[in-house]
Amino acid sequence: MITKKKIIASALAVAMAASLTACSNGTEGGSNASSEPASSAASETSVADTSEDNTSTVESAAESSADTESEAESAAESKADVSDTGAKTKSKALKSIFDIMVNDKDYLNYKGYFPNTKFEEKLDGDCIVIDISGTDEMNGTCRFPLEDGYIVCKMDSSDLLMPSIFTIAILSSIATYFDLNSAVLVGYTNAMSDTENEYYIADQKEDGSGTIKFNIEKKPDLSVLDNMSITEDLIKKHIRDDTQSLMFNYGKILLSLNKDNEKNSVTFAIGEYGEENTDLTKNSIVSLVETIKPKGYEKFLNDFTELKEIKGDGYSVSFDSTAYAEDHGISMYEGYKFVVVDIG
């Protein structure tokens, strides 16, 4: 049975911190799903159900990746099943995004995680349509219409698959169209979901129902992210006392975190998009440690006066993320500089 955890883990295995932005638009057929708010889907779903399954989300992603590696490679090598039906779109942007999507490596790899499911993409007038059918319990039709320059997702609270479909297929293709890093664009949507702006508009309820829209007629201004780090309020929103692992991105920051609640220790890799780590990374580290309070955090904060590699009694800061990636079965996203912190 394909469960919510399986779908999320598979998406994370494709894109390290893809925020599984909730999106469905009049899903047709028997989709067995439930959507999450767009601004918080990745972080909240990553920590879900820890009481019933001690396997962390990161480990689940690694296992999904290992189990389906051959299928993903096969999908990447194959062409998408594509057809145009009905009226032709007059939007060059929508046509370009559709063409990018059907050949996108990450999207093809994602489909490979579900070998018993068929994905058929169509551009039906001013609407991207993805028909999904098979025996992986993922049947349905996802429709993403273009309205007034925005690709629109209308959501209800009974959909599960659409969050990963929107992020992996639609949002990633929009990023390529605008020559942007796809993880940064996901971080942008997370950071901007509660703000007034002309690029990304989110109108959602707590149960995930509502509408989100992304403007494809104007390239988004990402300079607004230059001053956005992970804050105490954001951490408290997404990290509970029983959280064991967490992956999410916010602005230019990517976070992969693992906690040992019995030992009161934490290890996390925090990445910043760009050529070097700045105060965005340092401030995010401080906020995380101050809020989580692992064993020995006071001494760490006293010694961590600048962003550099240090090692002390019960803590370390390293710029080498290779071992962390291998230990947790993930890949460090291209274009990011990572710092690994181990405390407790």
Side-chain angles (χ1 to χ4, degrees):
M1 176 180 293
I2 299 299
T3 65
K4 180 175 183 178
K5 196 167 189 179
K6 173 77 171 180
I7 292 173
I8 291 166
S10 299
L12 288 171
V14 174
M16 173 184 165
S19 173
L20 304 184
T21 311
C23 178
S24 65
N25 180 19
T27 302
E28 302 164 3
S31 178
N32 302 319
S34 109
S35 55
E36 306 282 345
S39 62
S40 60
S43 49
E44 291 183 355
T45 53
S46 293
V47 300
D49 301 328
T50 55
S51 61
E52 64 184 54
D53 188 349
N54 291 327
T55 303
S56 68
T57 302
V58 178
E59 291 170 337
S60 297
E63 292 170 0
S64 291
S65 178
D67 291 342
T68 59
E69 182 178 358
S70 60
E71 290 90 345
E73 291 175 351
S74 175
E77 294 172 355
S78 64
K79 291 294 183 180
D81 189 356
V82 183
S83 62
D84 290 339
T85 61
K88 302 294 183 181
T89 180
K90 296 180 180 179
S91 171
K92 293 182 179 179
L94 186 67
K95 181 63 166 63
S96 295
I97 290 169
F98 177 79
D99 290 341
I100 291 168
M101 181 192 75
V102 297
N103 294 298
D104 181 75
K105 182 178 179 180
D106 284 346
Y107 178 46
L108 292 174
N109 281 342
Y110 175 80
K111 293 193 291 185
Y113 286 99
F114 307 99
N116 301 312
T117 296
K118 179 181 179 181
F119 296 76
E120 183 179 2
E121 299 82 7
K122 297 180 289 187
L123 186 58
D124 188 0
D126 288 339
C127 185
I128 292 176
V129 182
I130 303 177
D131 290 313
I132 304 168
S133 60
T135 58
D136 289 327
E137 298 187 6
M138 297 168 60
N139 300 303
T141 297
C142 314
R143 302 180 63 85
F144 305 98
L146 180 68
E147 299 177 2
D148 298 324
Y150 289 83
I151 290 185
V152 179
C153 295
K154 296 179 181 179
M155 301 162 288
D156 58 48
S157 60
S158 63
D159 208 331
L160 171 64
L161 180 62
M162 299 314 108
S164 53
I165 289 293
F166 179 75
T167 299
I168 297 297
I170 303 298
L171 198 58
S172 177
S173 301
I174 292 174
T176 301
Y177 174 72
F178 284 122
D179 193 25
L180 299 170
N181 182 286
S182 59
V184 174
L185 192 61
V186 171
Y188 174 83
T189 62
N190 285 340
M192 303 302 290
S193 60
D194 294 325
T195 69
E196 292 187 6
N197 66 91
E198 61 180 316
Y199 305 105
Y200 177 75
I201 301 173
D203 180 16
Q204 294 177 271
K205 299 177 182 179
E206 288 296 325
D207 65 358
S209 62
T211 302
I212 59 175
K213 305 189 295 184
F214 202 101
N215 191 335
I216 63 170
E217 299 297 334
K218 299 179 181 180
K219 186 174 182 176
D221 179 11
L222 302 188
S223 65
V224 67
L225 306 180
D226 292 343
N227 297 312
M228 291 186 175
S229 60
I230 295 178
T231 64
E232 180 180 351
D233 288 343
L234 185 65
I235 297 164
K236 288 182 176 179
K237 182 178 180 181
H238 297 304
I239 300 180
R240 306 190 304 257
D241 290 340
D242 62 348
T243 296
Q244 294 181 350
S245 65
L246 175 69
M247 298 180 76
F248 73 90
N249 60 0
Y250 180 81
K252 292 183 176 181
I253 298 295
L254 277 175
L255 173 67
S256 170
L257 179 145
N258 289 271
K259 286 175 58 187
D260 187 322
N261 295 318
E262 292 184 1
K263 295 181 179 179
N264 192 23
S265 64
V266 63
T267 301
F268 59 87
I270 188 165
E272 179 178 347
Y273 182 73
E275 296 182 356
E276 62 181 1
N277 296 97
T278 69
D279 281 344
L280 292 184
T281 300
K282 181 178 183 294
N283 295 339
S284 296
I285 291 172
V286 171
S287 294
L288 280 162
V289 175
E290 285 182 337
T291 306
I292 297 174
K293 294 181 172 56
K295 182 180 179 181
Y297 79 96
E298 300 97 332
K299 180 168 176 47
F300 171 81
L301 292 174
N302 183 66
D303 296 344
F304 185 64
T305 57
E306 59 182 304
L307 193 57
K308 65 178 183 179
E309 289 192 327
I310 59 174
K311 189 171 185 178
D313 184 15
Y315 68 82
S316 66
V317 177
S318 172
F319 295 154
D320 183 2
S321 60
T322 302
Y324 180 93
E326 291 176 352
D327 289 344
H328 299 285
I330 59 176
S331 299
M332 295 308 180
Y333 216 95
E334 183 179 356
Y336 285 78
K337 297 294 183 181
F338 281 88
V339 178
V340 177
V341 179
D342 187 6
I343 306 174

